[in-house]
Amino acid sequence: MDRSAAQGHVVTSRLTRRQRRRVSQGIQYAVFVAVLVVVGVFADWGRLQNQFAQQDLAEELFPDIITIALRNTVVYTFSGFGFGLVLGLIIALMRLSSVAPYRWVASVYIELFRGLPALLIFIFVGVAVPLAFPGYQIPGGTYGKVALGLGLVAAAYMAETMRAGIQAVPKGQMEAARSLGFSHARAMVSVIIPQAFRIVIPPLTNELVLLFKDSSLVLFLGVTLDERELTKFGRDLASQTANSTPILVAGLCYLLVTVPLSFVVRRLETRADKAR
């Protein structure tokens, strides 16, 4: 080791852990600022504004992008979330059941629907179900298909979340309920499941955020003008105007919902950590 390297090693070793962390953070901030400067200097902001930020085109999207696209996106999301929550709870209870066939069915369902892309599930709902059951229409039309598609995907994740929440409830709660004369089923419904829901509220809220974005897959079901969600609405208007401003506005509408929901998730996680 030469003399300069040895001196550098000595200087580094003299730094405390806090000082080393500050140096590391300073380097990261410097790199971040350098990247911003490079982007700001070399990006063609004029072309970007012309393609993505035409004010007159953005104004023409209102109020339809709110009253039709955003409204449909919210309805699709909450219908899928509701169906997925109910189905996920059933699958979670089956996974915890003492009856082996129930556990097998639940395990296969979870592995299958967590492993398949959501797009394939939507294609299955839109194409395979009508072929398998000729003449049968899913109740609710497009809204029913979306609730089924989103719910099938969400249920696989919610089932594991709910299972973890149920198992996180102290076993003494079940024993106390049984000692008071509760049956196992009544103790689960009245004591265990409510406590499990309080535990899993943050991850369930996070799943709601993910479903809100996954609702963009509705376009593969073939929707009417009044059934379009934000992504389909933005793509259609972008094609008609040969400009990407509608897509940018649709993206901002997504953020209008997902950012507050993400903030709620963080607050719920903080409250849960303090409670523990």
Side-chain angles (χ1 to χ4, degrees), residues 171-184:
K171 294 182 179 180
Q173 296 292 315
M174 174 62 76
E175 296 171 355
R178 296 301 300 273
S179 67
L180 293 174
F182 283 50
S183 65
H184 184 273

Side-chain angles (χ1 to χ4, degrees), residues 10-255:
V10 171
V11 172
T12 303
S13 62
R14 289 178 179 175
L15 296 177
T16 64
R17 180 179 300 178
R18 178 177 297 180
Q19 289 173 333
R20 288 196 296 269
R21 184 169 63 249
R22 289 179 177 176
V23 170
S24 176
Q25 291 177 348
I27 294 173
Q28 295 176 35
Y29 287 137
V31 171
F32 178 72
V33 171
V35 170
L36 290 181
V37 171
V38 170
V39 172
V41 170
F42 292 99
D44 192 336
W45 296 103
R47 294 183 62 184
L48 288 174
Q49 181 179 0
N50 183 63
Q51 183 64 26
F52 288 95
Q54 289 292 326
Q55 183 177 353
D56 54 340
L57 290 179
E59 292 174 352
E60 292 176 4
L61 302 178
F62 293 90
D64 288 349
I65 195 170
I66 301 296
T67 58
I68 296 178
L70 182 58
R71 175 182 61 85
N72 285 336
T73 301
V74 172
V75 171
Y76 293 152
T77 301
F78 279 94
S79 61
F81 182 82
F83 178 74
L85 183 61
V86 174
L87 181 59
L89 178 58
I90 294 173
I91 297 298
L93 294 175
M94 292 175 63
R95 186 77 182 271
L96 296 171
S97 174
S98 59
V99 181
Y102 287 168
R103 296 198 303 271
W104 299 339
V105 170
S107 298
V108 170
Y109 177 90
I110 291 172
E111 296 303 325
L112 178 64
F113 283 91
R114 285 201 308 179
L116 290 175
L119 174 58
L120 294 184
I121 305 302
F122 270 84
I123 294 175
F124 172 80
V125 170
V127 178
V129 172
L131 290 177
F133 303 97
Y136 174 75
Q137 297 292 331
I138 297 176
T142 300
Y143 294 95
K145 293 179 181 179
V146 175
L148 179 60
L150 288 176
L152 288 174
V153 176
Y157 295 93
M158 291 184 184
E160 287 294 87
T161 300
M162 289 301 304
R163 179 182 64 82
I166 292 172
Q167 291 179 325
V169 177
K171 294 182 179 180
Q173 296 292 315
M174 174 62 76
E175 296 171 355
R178 296 301 300 273
S179 67
L180 293 174
F182 283 50
S183 65
H184 184 273
R186 185 182 176 189
M188 287 293 295
V189 173
S190 302
V191 179
I192 304 301
I193 292 178
Q195 294 186 62
F197 267 108
R198 285 196 292 270
I199 295 172
V200 301
I201 282 177
L204 287 181
T205 309
N206 192 54
E207 182 64 30
L208 180 62
V209 175
L210 296 177
L211 281 183
F212 189 78
K213 294 182 290 184
D214 285 344
S215 64
S216 61
L217 297 173
V218 172
L219 61 91
F220 291 99
L221 293 177
V223 295
T224 64
L225 293 178
D226 292 334
E227 296 171 340
R228 291 179 296 177
E229 39 69 51
L230 284 170
T231 299
K232 175 66 173 172
F233 186 91
R235 287 186 59 182
D236 288 349
L237 270 296
S239 298
Q240 294 176 15
T241 60
N243 190 276
S244 299
T245 299
I247 295 178
L248 177 63
V249 177
L252 294 176
C253 289
Y254 276 108
L255 294 176

Side-chain angles (χ1 to χ4, degrees), residues 201-202 205-206 208-209 257-271:
I201 282 177
T205 309
N206 192 54
L208 180 62
V209 175
V257 176
T258 57
V259 170
L261 279 177
S262 298
F263 176 76
V264 171
V265 171
R266 290 193 295 271
R267 290 297 300 270
L268 291 173
E269 290 175 344
T270 301
R271 290 182 60 182

